[in-house]
Amino acid sequence: MTVSRPLPRAMLIDMDDTILSAYGRPEIAWNTIANEFAEELAPLPPPQVATAVLAFARQFWSTAEPIWRMKLGEARRLTVRGGFAALAANGHRALPDDLADRIADRFTTYREEAIFVFPGAHDAIDAFRARGIKLALVTNGAADMQRAKVERFELTHRFDHIQIEGEHGFGKPEERAYLHAMEALGVSARDTWMIGDNLEWEVVTPQRLGIYSIWIDVHGDGLPEGSTVRPDHIIRSLTELVPGRP
């Protein structure tokens, strides 16, 4: 649904799973990788292993310190080992740490290989820029990994300010992440929209600062059941924010 209010002076835009299809649908990725290692996992069925790993990963990331976003590969090794340990605790055969590490590393490679720009994302950003809107890319994650994606997917010249957690030493949902980006653009909260896929990072904290917050729900899943977070607007694609879009 096209947003009805006038476009702002500035937009802070998330990168992963907002501009790029990066880390959404982890259950599909873990099942794909588990199937690649089916022979080594036998007699355990790959879907059972994938389910155990995904459950541990979700638990891990729900309480993980921000530093783990800088050590994504290591974190994934820990989560696969944790999934293996949970299976062993339930009476299944113990799977070796070496296998866990190889599965985790393959998952990392698979995820990076599978990244692509969402259809229309480049055009939408270019349209915002053509209308004189100041743009900041605000993304969490390690400096080298995120900067490589910025360059690989031709985002550098599309933004007035690029803010990567690993380069600046702070990231979402810290308030200074948003305040720094707005300062770099020379705008205030009332002039700014925040757009992204994470309800805490792109809605909760920005709203507290007075920023109009747009949640992007690319898969159309809707808000999680029981969620008390209420975005100011929900979209499925950046193209919905371009004036005149059919």
Side-chain angles (χ1 to χ4, degrees):
M1 180 175 65
T2 303
V3 68
S4 58
R5 62 192 290 151
L7 290 174
R9 287 185 60 206
M11 292 181 181
L12 313 182
I13 305 178
D14 174 52
M15 181 168 67
D16 295 321
D17 298 306
T18 296
I19 299 171
L20 308 179
S21 176
Y23 304 125
R25 297 290 197 241
E27 65 280 3
I28 295 175
W30 281 119
N31 273 284
T32 299
I33 301 308
N35 278 314
E36 291 184 10
F37 288 83
E39 290 186 10
E40 293 183 77
L41 294 172
L44 282 167
Q48 185 174 3
V49 175
T51 297
V53 169
L54 181 59
F56 190 90
R58 284 176 170 157
Q59 180 183 17
F60 174 84
W61 286 112
S62 69
T63 59
E65 295 293 326
I67 188 62
W68 285 108
R69 296 197 293 263
M70 306 299 109
K71 303 187 293 183
L72 197 54
E74 184 178 342
R76 285 172 175 159
R77 286 187 171 200
L78 286 175
T79 58
V80 179
R81 289 188 182 199
F84 281 10
L87 289 166
N90 286 326
H92 300 289
R93 80 175 182 94
L95 296 166
D97 286 345
D98 171 68
L99 176 58
D101 292 348
R102 286 188 287 115
I103 289 176
D105 293 348
R106 172 60 187 132
F107 180 88
T108 294
T109 301
Y110 173 86
R111 283 301 229 183
E112 295 307 308
E113 290 173 346
I115 292 174
F116 63 88
V117 179
F118 282 124
H122 275 166
D123 291 341
I125 294 167
D126 292 345
F128 302 149
R129 191 172 180 84
R131 285 167 170 77
I133 298 171
K134 296 182 178 181
L135 302 175
L137 182 71
V138 183
T139 182
N140 283 355
D144 54 351
M145 178 181 293
Q146 298 301 79
R147 179 59 66 175
K149 284 189 280 189
V150 168
E151 295 177 358
R152 173 184 171 191
F153 295 105
E154 301 181 339
L155 298 176
T156 305
H157 71 282
R158 290 187 155 91
F159 288 87
D160 302 290
H161 174 66
I162 292 178
Q163 189 171 300
I164 297 171
E165 181 182 21
E167 294 179 350
H168 285 74
F170 52 83
K172 301 171 292 186
E174 295 177 76
E175 289 189 0
R176 59 177 170 165
Y178 315 91
L179 296 173
H180 182 83
M182 288 189 293
E183 181 181 5
L185 296 180
V187 296
S188 64
R190 67 175 179 273
D191 301 320
T192 305
W193 290 0
M194 176 78 229
I195 306 160
D197 69 299
N198 186 295
L199 286 171
E200 180 182 4
W201 298 354
E202 275 84 52
V203 178
V204 175
T205 305
Q207 283 181 338
R208 188 166 65 243
L209 294 172
I211 299 169
Y212 187 80
S213 300
I214 298 175
W215 182 54
I216 187 165
D217 176 22
V218 293
H219 301 294
D221 294 330
L223 291 167
E225 185 176 354
S227 175
T228 60
V229 181
R230 290 294 177 265
D232 293 306
H233 191 67
I234 299 175
I235 59 174
R236 293 192 61 181
S237 167
L238 289 175
T239 60
E240 294 177 42
L241 301 177
V242 179
R245 173 186 176 272

